[in-house]
Amino acid sequence: MQWLLAEGLFRSGLYVHVKGLQRKRAMLMFHSILPERNLELHLRNNSIAELTRTVHILKRMGSIVSVKQWMEASEPNQFAITFDDGLLNNLNYAAPALAKLHVPASYYINTSYVAGNAFVWPEKLSLMTRDHKGTLHARGQYYIGHAHNRWHNRDTGSTMVSDWMSLSMEDIEHALNEIEIQCGGMELLEAHRVMKGEEIKILSAMPGVTIGSHGVDHRDMTTLSEADLRDTLLTSKTYLEQCAGQKVDELAFPFGATNAFVCDIARKQGYTHLIGVNAEKASPQIAMRYGIYNHLPISIQLKSMLSE
Ligand SMILES: [Zn+2]
């Protein structure tokens, strides 16, 4: 019988039973790992302690294996850990913490540095807007601030990120400039930028690390022209392989957005392991991940993941 150690009961040594746990398998998706919790910036950051706690809980339930092992073996009670976006804090905090725990992980890196952008645009937007009060306007739309620094379109209710995810990089940069003017004096924190080539190289040499692609500019791949899609997949793969000195054949789709055409082109370009998020349950060829965020205790998120 398998048991899940609930976070609230961790210290008291009591256990909580989770129904049907015996056959569970899951792949987890993290983004940003920081020394301390930061609930204001966005949902996508967790502390080193939360990452460590996740590992301890998963190890009690089974084993943590690489993404390739997870996708190829189908063993019960296996888990895999991944990180999206390729932020510098993955190298500084996540990888050292996992190395100590002897846990493998895949890092899906946005190679926007090669295109001259130190920050992946959703992260930059969060950093710019984190202390702003009131409304924001961009591209002729008005946005109202909500919890976790989310900005919702006053008229449609959609978020600013979802309104922008199919725009060209030129349009996104123009919109970011509009936001920057309204949020003046903002500071872009170093730990939130994407890794440079030499940093990717250091990360790739750490034990248990697999480098994968997350595209070049964090746009929704289903909205790109075929030429742009081929270009982003190839540019990112070539750059990462040069930096890491290892074959790069895992691809995590930005926003988890994909379709049969994107998968077909990705496979033809040598991506053998395609990684999505919760939304693409329909496709058997894409590994599904469960996103870990900071709005709930880790044990509650894992319990909900395992009961799905
Ligand atoms: Zn991403």
Side-chain angles (χ1 to χ4, degrees):
M1 184 175 286
Q2 299 285 332
W3 301 84
L4 171 66
L5 197 55
E7 182 176 68
L9 301 172
F10 188 89
R11 286 171 206 88
S12 66
L14 296 172
Y15 297 86
V16 174
H17 180 227
V18 176
K19 235 169 84 180
L21 210 59
Q22 291 88 333
R23 303 289 304 168
K24 288 297 181 182
R25 289 164 46 75
M27 194 186 292
L28 276 60
M29 170 182 67
F30 287 93
H31 288 82
S32 180
I33 300 295
L34 298 168
E36 305 295 335
R37 292 183 86 197
N38 180 334
L39 300 176
E40 284 78 40
L41 181 63
H42 52 59
L43 288 170
R44 305 181 303 280
N45 61 65
N46 290 98
S47 66
I48 298 169
E50 286 173 319
L51 176 62
T52 304
R53 190 171 303 132
T54 303
V55 168
H56 288 320
I57 294 174
L58 294 179
K59 278 187 169 177
R60 280 173 206 281
M61 296 188 298
S63 55
I64 303 174
V65 297
S66 70
V67 164
K68 285 194 175 68
Q69 268 180 285
W70 191 92
M71 288 178 77
E72 286 158 16
S74 294
E75 296 288 324
N77 303 324
Q78 277 191 340
F79 304 95
I81 293 179
T82 69
F83 297 85
D84 276 16
D85 293 353
L87 304 177
L88 179 59
N89 63 48
N90 291 182
L91 170 64
N92 291 343
Y93 308 121
L98 293 184
K100 265 190 231 164
L101 296 161
H102 307 289
V103 167
S106 282
Y107 296 81
Y108 299 124
I109 298 181
N110 220 270
T111 59
S112 63
Y113 227 106
V114 81
N117 293 315
F119 291 85
V120 63
W121 71 263
E123 193 75 14
K124 187 172 182 177
L125 180 63
S126 297
L127 285 166
M128 289 199 305
T129 54
R130 71 192 192 279
D131 296 325
H132 189 77
K133 304 276 180 270
T135 57
L136 285 169
H137 56 91
R139 300 179 52 78
Q141 302 290 309
Y142 281 85
Y143 294 87
I144 297 162
H146 284 248
H148 307 292
N149 195 14
R150 277 181 157 171
W151 294 85
H152 290 223
N153 190 308
R154 188 185 64 184
D155 299 317
T156 66
S158 57
T159 64
M160 196 183 281
V161 170
S162 60
D163 282 357
W164 293 10
M165 58 194 261
S166 59
L167 298 179
S168 70
M169 261 333 277
E170 247 184 316
D171 286 344
I172 289 172
E173 274 163 26
H174 184 77
L176 285 171
N177 288 340
E178 281 188 80
I179 296 296
E180 185 172 357
I181 290 164
Q182 297 163 71
C183 298
M186 53 84 189
E187 182 194 1
L188 297 179
L189 305 172
E190 175 80 359
H192 293 261
R193 68 164 168 80
V194 292
M195 281 177 271
K196 299 177 186 177
E198 60 262 37
E199 292 156 347
I200 296 167
K201 188 176 176 183
I202 296 168
L203 176 66
S204 70
M206 293 179 73
V209 168
T210 299
I211 302 294
S213 169
H214 195 48
V216 174
D217 49 17
H218 214 289
R219 289 163 66 205
D220 176 344
M221 288 184 173
T222 66
T223 67
L224 301 181
S225 69
E226 182 175 345
D228 284 351
L229 175 62
R230 286 182 186 278
D231 185 59
T232 195
L233 290 170
L234 180 65
T235 303
S236 157
K237 190 175 198 293
T238 309
Y239 178 74
L240 290 171
E241 285 180 346
Q242 273 169 9
C243 297
Q246 56 179 242
K247 199 168 152 192
V248 170
D249 53 17
E250 295 180 18
L251 169 69
F253 305 104
F255 308 109
T258 189
N259 57 28
F261 182 72
V262 171
C263 290
D264 184 47
I265 300 288
R267 285 192 190 284
K268 283 180 179 151
Q269 296 215 349
Y271 291 103
T272 51
H273 293 72
L274 305 181
I275 320 293
V277 287
N278 306 17
E280 288 83 41
K281 281 180 179 158
S283 170
Q285 289 106 25
I286 304 171
M288 301 314 312
R289 291 179 297 172
Y290 189 90
I292 300 292
Y293 302 103
N294 62 23
H295 62 308
L296 287 171
I298 289 296
S299 62
I300 304 293
Q301 294 186 66
L302 295 182
K303 189 173 173 180
S304 128
M305 168 183 92
L306 293 166
S307 47
E308 265 179 18

